[in-house]
């Protein structure tokens, strides 16, 4: 029974990912989740008490996976500048990934404090790694530089998400060039 419940929960989370990546947070409704999974709407409520609870669990499950991929790319890079480049490239590479699209949709939405805190904590781990790389370049305000660098990445993510006129590769190269030039103290 427990295994069945956990499979249904996983199916609900997967349906939530699809809905978020297709239509953003407005698309994530309990009727839509019920329809996608073939469960009765009342059953969806047995697993999650609210949309915020679905979002919170997605953050808990997906954000660390996504962050670990960025972390792995950075760990494989040699030197502070290469780590920064890996940080930017990997995040932009993951834009097409459904898990990442769901995380972006979530980040842009109104979240309850618990979910926001979980995202901040997961994001904090990534930011800490970039702060360390920036410190390695000799920045006297590495935390501020890290926040601004992430702003460039977020803008590039949005540009790719929107299906802007430029090819995603062009956007990635521009973001990498801007961050690498911008992070030199």
């Amino acid at each position: 029974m427990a295994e069945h419940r956990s499979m249904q929960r996983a199916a609900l989370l997967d349906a939530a990912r699809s809905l978020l990546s297709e239509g953003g947070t407005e698309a994530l409704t309990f009727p839509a989740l019920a329809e996608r999974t073939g469960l009765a709407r009342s059953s969806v409520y047995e697993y999650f008490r609210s949309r915020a609870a679905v979002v919170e669990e997605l953050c808990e499950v997906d954000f660390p996976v996504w962050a670990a991929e960025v972390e792995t790319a950075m760990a494989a890079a040699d030197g502070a500048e290469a780590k920064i480049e890996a940080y930017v490239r990997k995040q932009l590479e993951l834009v097409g990934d459904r898990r990442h699209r769901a995380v972006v949709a979530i980040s842009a939405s109104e979240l309850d404090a618990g979910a926001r805190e979980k995202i901040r904590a997961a994001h904090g781990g990534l930011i800490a790694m970039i702060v360390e790389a920036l410190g390695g370049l000799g920045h006297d305000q590495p935390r501020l530089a890290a926040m601004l660098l992430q702003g460039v990445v977020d803008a590039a993510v949005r540009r790719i998400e929107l299906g802007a006129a430029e090819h995603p590769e062009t956007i990635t190269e521009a973001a990498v060039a801007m961050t690498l030039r911008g992070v030199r103290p």
Side-chain angles (χ1 to χ4, degrees):
M1 182 65 194
E3 190 177 324
H4 178 67
R5 280 191 67 80
S6 109
M7 279 171 63
Q8 285 194 327
R9 189 175 206 93
L12 282 164
L13 286 176
D14 205 48
R17 270 181 210 109
S18 294
L19 290 165
L20 282 166
S21 70
E22 289 160 21
T25 45
E26 299 76 41
L28 180 61
T29 64
F30 277 29
L33 280 173
E35 193 183 317
R36 285 280 167 109
T37 53
L39 291 169
R41 200 184 311 181
S42 57
S43 299
V44 178
Y45 282 99
E46 286 175 33
Y47 292 92
F48 299 103
R49 60 187 190 285
S50 65
R51 266 171 31 136
V54 177
V55 163
E56 198 165 329
E57 188 149 332
L58 268 181
C59 294
E60 270 178 59
V61 173
D62 288 355
F63 214 104
V65 171
W66 176 73
E69 289 191 43
V70 177
E71 202 170 322
T72 302
M74 285 179 77
D78 198 18
E81 240 181 67
K83 286 185 187 308
I84 291 161
E85 182 171 347
Y87 176 83
V88 174
R89 280 190 188 282
K90 193 61 179 180
Q91 285 192 66
L92 297 180
E93 187 188 304
L94 290 168
V95 170
D97 184 276
R98 223 161 41 106
R99 224 183 217 112
H100 179 264
R101 278 213 298 273
V103 168
V104 169
I106 290 165
S107 307
S109 72
E110 287 306 305
L111 291 177
D112 68 5
R116 259 201 313 273
E117 198 39 59
K118 288 198 172 77
I119 285 186
R120 252 200 303 278
H123 220 261
L126 277 183
I127 293 286
M129 291 180 69
I130 208 71
V131 167
E132 192 179 318
L134 288 163
L137 284 178
H139 261 275
D140 56 348
Q141 287 194 297
R143 188 146 188 87
L144 172 60
M147 294 304 182
L148 296 175
L149 187 153
Q150 185 59 45
V152 171
V153 174
D154 292 344
V157 164
R158 276 194 301 279
R159 193 113 186 109
I160 294 170
E161 285 281 340
L162 289 168
E166 308 88 3
H167 191 275
E169 190 57 37
T170 306
I171 296 168
T172 299
E173 293 311 318
V176 167
M178 184 172 281
T179 52
L180 288 182
R181 280 200 298 268
V183 296
R184 292 190 183 109

